[in-house]
Amino acid sequence: MCAPLVVGNWKMHGSLAANRALLGALVAGVQGVESAVCVPFPYLAQAAERLKGTAIAWGAQNVSEHAQGAYTGEVSAAMLTEFGCRYVLVGHSERRQIYGETDAVAAAKFAAAQGAGLRPIFCIGETLAERDAGRTEEVVARQLDAVLGRCKFGDAVLAYEPVWAIGTGRTASPEQVQAVHGFLRKRMSAATRILYGGSVKPDNAAAIFALPDVDGGLIGGAALVAKDFIAICGMAQRKG
Ligand code: PGA
């Protein structure tokens, strides 16, 4: 079993003032478990400044597949390392669905991040239509194979996030989560952390983290509420 990891995905939320309060509360409250926050690009310097020397790591939510050049609006992996990022989310379903990122683009971003020394948190997951059609395993295998076909997974983190459970308040049942995590575990080394994400809250985190092939969580909405994120970290700690 891997040591648990809890990652907050702030998405496009925050302000300098709100982040100051949230980061301060997390520094005071998160203990005994590996954790990280993935913040919007403009707040990386603030996160680095506040979290340096603490047990909480930080990272970004996206990265360019290119090293540099005429890519207006993009941010390279090397730039993220200059701000002390350890992690970067790659292939989040919102990137795939809203911004049309394909499996190939997600894999290229994974390679760019890893090449710069970042640890990608590679997100995969099926839509409700795909689940209803019985295609969950096929979809997550295809998404994962795009990366495994071109890179070693190394110390990257895998995150299973069923699209229908993200931001909907509808969590996958423990049976559904374990079925997919068990499937993924067979394809990964025993040392790869496999996180679950999708409406993880203080009232359901313990049951999800107790599952044998779940090594922590990727937390969206609840990561913006200090007491909720701290409570969720505490539940992961009990597993570790
Ligand atoms: P949620 O988001 O916890 O708000 O469902 C999870 C995610 O998108 O990573």
Side-chain angles (χ1 to χ4, degrees):
M1 195 178 71
C2 315
L5 172 69
V6 181
V7 180
N9 171 13
W10 287 9
K11 308 195 181 188
M12 198 173 72
H13 294 287
S15 65
L16 288 171
N19 303 346
R20 198 172 302 125
L22 179 53
L23 291 169
L26 297 186
V27 168
V30 174
Q31 274 152 16
V33 67
E34 270 190 69
S35 66
V37 289
C38 291
V39 308
F41 292 133
Y43 300 134
L44 283 172
Q46 185 187 24
E49 165 92 21
R50 187 65 186 85
L51 298 177
K52 200 166 8 157
T54 76
I56 305 173
W58 60 95
Q61 301 169 13
N62 187 22
V63 63
S64 174
E65 66 270 44
H66 304 290
Q68 62 180 351
Y71 301 106
T72 301
E74 293 291 295
V75 173
S76 75
M79 293 173 188
L80 298 181
T81 65
E82 287 203 303
F83 287 87
C85 290
R86 180 179 305 165
Y87 296 104
V88 61
L89 302 181
V90 172
H92 190 279
S93 71
E94 287 152 18
R95 301 297 317 172
R96 294 177 188 266
Q97 298 216 309
I98 305 171
Y99 299 100
E101 284 186 11
T102 60
D103 289 337
V105 167
K109 290 182 173 207
F110 182 101
Q114 202 176 47
L118 296 164
R119 289 189 203 176
I121 299 173
F122 188 64
C123 306
I124 59 177
E126 82 288 0
T127 63
L128 190 55
E130 289 164 341
R131 171 163 286 269
D132 288 346
R135 295 182 49 221
T136 298
E137 290 189 356
E138 169 204 325
V139 169
V140 295
R142 188 202 73 222
Q143 292 169 331
L144 185 56
D145 285 346
V147 161
L148 297 181
R150 93 175 256 174
C151 310
K152 287 205 163 52
F153 207 74
D155 62 3
V157 176
L158 186 59
Y160 169 57
E161 298 201 302
V163 177
W164 47 274
I166 295 177
T168 58
R170 190 177 156 189
T171 330
S173 70
E175 294 72 27
Q176 288 171 320
V177 175
Q178 176 53 34
V180 178
H181 278 241
F183 173 75
L184 296 171
R185 175 67 69 205
K186 286 196 221 110
R187 306 174 61 97
M188 310 305 293
S189 101
T192 300
R193 284 161 155 164
I194 310 178
L195 311 184
Y196 171 78
S199 298
V200 177
K201 309 285 179 204
D203 62 3
N204 60 25
I208 293 168
F209 293 164
L211 298 167
D213 292 309
V214 173
D215 306 307
L218 180 54
I219 319 299
L224 298 170
V225 182
K227 70 171 180 13
D228 288 359
F229 190 73
I230 292 164
I232 291 168
C233 286
M235 290 169 200
Q237 182 192 0
R238 277 201 280 282
K239 174 163 191 169

